[in-house]
Amino acid sequence: NSFIFLASRLVYKPSRPPPSHETSEPLPPPFSLLRDLKAKMASIGRRFVAAFTCPKTGWKTTHFWGPVANWGLVVAAVSDAFTKGPEVISVPMTSSLCIYSMLFMRFAWLVQPRNYLLFACHFFNECAQLTQLSRGIKYESDQRALKGDDDKGGSGAAETGAKVAFLSAAGQSLQASALKLPLPEAARAFIAHPAGPFTIHFWAPTWKWMLSISNLLDYDRPVEKVSTMQQTALCATGFIWSRYSMVIIPVNYNLFAVNVSLAVTGSYHLGRKLLSMRNKDEKEKEEES
């Protein structure tokens, strides 16, 4: 009987119901975390592709290429920090770039459509330019110490930048107070404009004029101290943003004008640099011959 029982157990195998989601046991915690992480990464990937290919703000529009051109300033600052000495740093220009990025971070957040790529660009540019500014100030301080000159300078730009930042941050309350004053209709329309003097849409491009002014002040800067990458980035920014300023909300004519000016001043310095490099190569060839 025992033999028959064992043989029947070997031959007969009871069928089991197929596994289902209702009867399956939950995954162990590590596998559950991996599954959730994979789902989140897939969701982020889909959102990235959708944003990249969006017909209104994707890679075929200036909403994308405008910030991309600004990344050239970050690349230029990082490249100069690692490959060049502090003597090539223009403290007025770098100071302007620091305040410029601070204002344009807020601009990128408030402009329509909101531009996260532009915000990220200016966040990284702020870090890069602050690093360059500290190097440039230290270098100039050391040079003044060698010459016995104790004049520190440079505080005017910082104070002006602080006032501009305060005005742009407290703009709405100041604008409401200004509109209560008995003003002509033209003045009231200017103050109430979406890109008026109490909004970041006014002060961000207004401060960008400092980049053009800084370039103009450096019109006779020694060519060997001109940063080729920085001026190339400024040229690209000027040309592309001239278009970008016309397709955002609100349309910003101040931003358009400053970018045209920046493209001109950047082209001037870049032309000086390229012409000097060509003359240097020709001189070396003549000496060799």
Side-chain angles (χ1 to χ4, degrees):
N1 293 333
S2 299
F3 177 77
I4 294 172
F5 174 76
L6 291 175
S8 64
R9 294 295 296 175
L10 291 174
V11 174
Y12 173 72
K13 293 182 180 180
S15 59
R16 296 180 179 179
S20 63
H21 294 289
E22 290 77 9
T23 59
S24 61
E25 297 180 357
L27 292 173
F31 294 99
S32 177
L33 290 175
L34 289 175
R35 181 186 61 189
D36 294 342
L37 179 61
K38 182 179 178 180
K40 289 181 180 179
M41 294 298 293
S43 176
I44 293 173
R46 288 192 296 270
R47 291 172 62 184
F48 173 79
V49 172
F52 186 75
T53 58
C54 178
K56 293 183 178 180
T57 59
W59 70 275
K60 294 182 180 181
T61 69
T62 51
H63 298 284
F64 175 83
W65 289 108
V68 167
N70 272 16
W71 276 100
L73 298 175
V74 185
V75 174
V78 173
S79 176
D80 289 346
F82 283 97
T83 62
K84 295 183 180 179
E87 67 277 359
V88 304
I89 299 173
S90 171
V91 173
M93 172 62 76
T94 309
S95 301
S96 299
L97 285 169
C98 288
I99 302 172
Y100 157 79
S101 283
M102 178 183 66
L103 293 173
F104 266 92
M105 278 192 284
R106 181 166 174 78
F107 175 90
W109 192 258
L110 295 178
V111 74
Q112 294 298 322
R114 182 172 290 171
N115 202 315
Y116 297 101
L117 182 59
L118 181 61
F119 181 89
C121 165
H122 281 290
F123 175 80
F124 283 101
N125 189 52
E126 183 74 19
C127 298
Q129 298 299 336
L130 284 173
T131 302
Q132 285 292 83
L133 182 62
S134 64
R135 294 177 68 220
I137 291 176
K138 185 178 183 301
Y139 173 78
E140 291 193 354
S141 177
D142 294 341
Q143 294 299 310
R144 286 194 298 268
L146 292 175
K147 296 178 181 179
D149 185 4
D150 294 332
D151 181 22
K152 295 182 179 180
S155 60
E159 294 176 359
T160 304
K163 294 176 182 177
V164 168
F166 169 77
L167 185 59
S168 61
Q172 290 184 348
S173 59
L174 293 174
Q175 184 184 49
S177 301
L179 289 174
K180 294 178 182 178
L181 298 175
L183 298 172
E185 286 300 321
R188 293 178 64 85
F190 176 66
I191 292 173
H193 194 273
F198 294 100
T199 67
I200 193 65
H201 304 289
F202 175 84
W203 286 108
T206 297
W207 187 262
K208 196 170 185 178
W209 279 104
M210 294 298 295
L211 302 184
S212 291
I213 294 172
S214 296
N215 258 3
L216 288 173
L217 292 177
D218 287 342
Y219 73 96
D220 60 346
R221 184 177 178 84
V223 179
E224 61 274 8
K225 293 185 178 182
V226 173
S227 172
T228 305
M229 291 194 66
Q230 184 186 70
Q231 295 300 329
T232 302
L234 290 174
C235 284
T237 299
F239 286 115
I240 296 176
W241 273 65
S242 299
R243 168 61 181 166
Y244 178 64
S245 59
M246 295 289 103
V247 297
I248 57 176
I249 300 174
V251 173
N252 202 315
Y253 297 101
N254 189 16
L255 187 60
F256 172 81
V258 68
N259 279 289
V260 171
S261 175
L262 188 61
V264 172
T265 57
S267 299
Y268 166 73
H269 282 289
L270 188 60
R272 290 176 62 223
K273 185 72 173 181
L274 296 176
L275 183 61
S276 174
M277 293 171 63
R278 191 184 70 175
N279 293 337
K280 184 178 179 180
D281 291 340
E282 291 178 354
K283 186 176 181 181
E284 290 177 354
K285 290 179 179 179
E286 290 178 358
E287 290 177 356
E288 291 178 357
S289 61

